[in-house]
Amino acid sequence: MANDFETTIDFIKSQFKTDEFIPLHVPHFGGNEKKYLLETIDSTFVSSVGAFVDRFEVMMQDITTAKKGIAVVNGTAGLQVALRLAGVMSDDEVLTQGLTFVATANAIAYNNAHPVFLDVDIDTMGLSPIAVSNFLDENAEMRNNVCYNKKTNRKIAACMPMHTFGFPVHLDELLSVCDKWNITVVEDAAESLGSYYKGKHTGTLGKLGAFSFNGNKVVTSGGGGAIITNDEEIGTKAKYLTTTAKKPHPYEFYHDELGYNYRMPNLNAALACAQLEQLNSLIENKRTLATEYASFFASKGINFRTELENTKANYWLMCIELENKAERDLFLKQSNENNVMSRPIWQLMHRLPMYNHCQRDEQKNALFLEERIVNIPSSARM
């Protein structure tokens, strides 16, 4: 297998046409980024009020077809506020996947709620509707049309799937299970801008969705995020809460509930707008790379992860599934020593000290993937 890995490393280098270090994902600034940033500086509106913040929110509505888009400082803040708007309160529980980036769990904890870590599906690497259904059948009961965990006596207030690396979860099945138990779905769509499930953009099928525009995403604002929803009342409340819950007034400062200073600065929004203008071309470029990878890895007998039927993935971070942990570790070592960045998928949340007490299921599929999935360079080659 070592020789195969050498060939793989050479192939990846050939795709990026360099012997220099190849990162996992770098931003591409090939549009109006500098122009819009200079406009923002010239306007003096560089903080959380400005034309580009408004433009960004409209662009997110247009791209996702959501009725409301709300700019926030990062994806984690978006998730935190989205959960609050979904009705998650202190000491409630939120069902989510154990195989995820830590921000998913942190957003739950920031609301003083408790994550419950459930298994993922092998094909999507995201929250499994079967795992959710099995957990609820065994642990939940309805009290006055509200779902409670019989073992902890806490309300199960929401379910938050995460679309891993931009691959949509099985949303129809998950929504059906949650509807049966009257549980609100909030989509962690941080990694899935430009991904679709049965023709609908991720983030629009749950009550709310949240996206990240971190420096390593498909498009970036340096730091930034967005909440989307088709509930206009919730969208208005989201904008209000993220603007310190300040009542509009020409000069008085009055805040009538606990809010957050979570608005995206106009400087970041300027960068985001220029990036969003290039979203389609960036994704098409990445999909071309994914096609090249798929053909190469098929010839090597290595499973390169591709989108499922009835979905369109943005291929944010592309990944391969190796035979076992030993093969994974060998590939990680050889690729990184040869200037090709690769990384393993995340450690399961229950392995982290702040979450090792949380309720969870067997995590069979998550454990399988944790030992085998490796991300490889995925940048657009513009």
Side-chain angles (χ1 to χ4, degrees):
M1 185 62 75
N3 289 332
D4 286 342
F5 287 166
E6 291 173 8
T7 304
T8 296
I9 291 165
D10 288 341
F11 179 78
I12 293 172
K13 288 181 177 180
S14 74
Q15 294 302 299
F16 293 90
K17 296 181 173 59
T18 182
D19 286 322
E20 301 297 320
F21 177 73
I22 304 173
L24 272 186
H25 201 282
V26 295
H28 172 75
F29 302 120
N32 289 314
E33 289 89 352
K34 291 181 181 179
K35 177 176 181 289
Y36 292 171
L37 286 170
L38 288 173
E39 286 180 17
T40 305
I41 293 169
D42 289 342
S43 76
T44 74
F45 286 92
V46 296
S47 191
S48 56
V49 175
F52 284 108
V53 179
D54 298 335
R55 186 191 299 188
F56 169 77
E57 292 179 334
V58 171
M59 292 180 77
M60 285 300 296
Q61 292 168 189
D62 291 342
I63 289 167
T64 64
T65 71
K67 291 182 180 178
K68 284 286 188 178
I70 302 93
V72 290
V73 291
N74 54 56
T76 309
L79 290 172
Q80 178 186 349
V81 175
L83 287 169
R84 175 173 165 181
L85 290 165
V88 175
M89 301 177 70
S90 181
D91 210 38
D92 285 348
E93 292 181 349
V94 178
L95 308 180
T96 193
Q97 58 208 61
L99 183 66
T100 187
F101 181 57
V102 71
T104 308
N106 287 349
I108 298 168
Y110 294 157
N111 283 283
N112 296 312
H114 305 269
V116 176
F117 298 120
L118 302 180
D119 208 356
V120 297
D121 285 320
I122 290 289
D123 56 357
T124 67
M125 300 177 287
L127 186 62
S128 168
I130 295 173
V132 173
S133 181
N134 289 343
F135 176 85
L136 291 169
D137 286 342
E138 180 180 349
N139 297 278
E141 64 181 9
M142 299 299 290
R143 305 176 191 169
N144 297 320
N145 205 34
V146 176
C147 185
Y148 280 85
N149 187 327
K150 293 183 291 186
K151 294 185 178 179
T152 64
N153 206 35
R154 298 186 187 115
K155 181 177 71 174
I156 300 176
C159 176
M160 188 159 67
M162 196 274 281
H163 303 298
T164 303
F165 306 141
F167 294 103
V169 304
H170 294 295
L171 278 165
D172 277 353
E173 294 87 345
L174 184 62
L175 289 164
S176 178
V177 172
C178 291
D179 183 63
K180 173 185 173 182
W181 290 91
N182 199 22
I183 297 172
T184 301
V185 173
V186 175
E187 294 178 64
D188 181 347
E191 302 177 353
S192 64
L193 182 67
S195 295
Y196 292 81
Y197 176 82
K198 295 185 177 180
K200 296 180 180 179
H201 200 292
T202 54
T204 63
L205 288 92
K207 192 72 171 176
L208 303 103
F211 296 88
S212 169
F213 294 83
N214 189 32
N216 65 350
K217 295 299 190 291
V218 176
V219 301
T220 182
S221 56
I227 302 168
I228 62 167
T229 181
N230 284 314
D231 187 316
E232 295 195 34
E233 184 177 347
I234 286 178
T236 300
K237 186 66 177 289
K239 192 163 187 174
Y240 176 63
L241 286 178
T242 56
T243 317
T244 68
K246 180 182 181 296
K247 286 289 186 181
H249 192 278
Y251 49 85
E252 294 284 0
F253 287 88
Y254 181 73
H255 312 259
D256 63 352
E257 62 180 302
L258 179 65
Y260 311 93
N261 187 16
Y262 282 176
R263 292 290 287 164
M264 178 190 285
N266 200 37
L267 271 173
N268 296 85
L271 189 60
C273 289
Q275 288 272 284
L276 287 174
E277 290 172 352
Q278 304 165 75
L279 176 62
N280 290 338
S281 61
L282 288 165
I283 290 180
E284 286 308 309
N285 187 290
K286 287 166 64 62
R287 290 176 64 83
T288 299
L289 175 61
T291 299
E292 296 289 336
Y293 274 154
S295 177
F296 172 81
F297 285 112
S299 72
K300 296 295 180 183
I302 296 174
N303 182 14
F304 174 76
R305 289 309 189 103
T306 57
E307 63 195 8
L308 302 182
E309 186 178 0
N310 293 319
T311 73
K312 180 180 179 180
N314 65 4
Y315 287 98
W316 169 52
L317 283 187
M318 303 176 207
C319 58
I320 54 177
E321 179 187 311
L322 297 169
E323 293 180 13
N324 50 51
K325 186 176 185 298
E327 292 293 312
R328 183 203 75 168
D329 291 346
L330 179 61
F331 181 80
L332 289 167
K333 182 176 186 295
Q334 290 192 0
S335 59
N336 283 286
E337 286 179 351
N338 284 277
N339 281 339
V340 173
M341 186 177 181
S342 63
R343 75 172 193 199
I345 203 167
W346 314 281
Q347 291 191 37
L348 300 186
M349 290 297 99
H350 73 262
R351 301 193 194 283
L352 306 182
M354 59 282 201
Y355 297 123
N356 61 14
H357 64 285
C358 294
Q359 190 174 6
R360 65 179 188 273
D361 62 8
E362 188 180 9
Q363 307 273 289
K364 181 179 178 182
N365 292 340
L367 288 163
F368 177 91
L369 294 169
E370 182 189 37
E371 293 184 346
R372 291 167 174 81
I373 294 294
V374 172
N375 293 122
I376 56 177
S378 308
S379 304
R381 306 162 300 167
M382 304 299 282

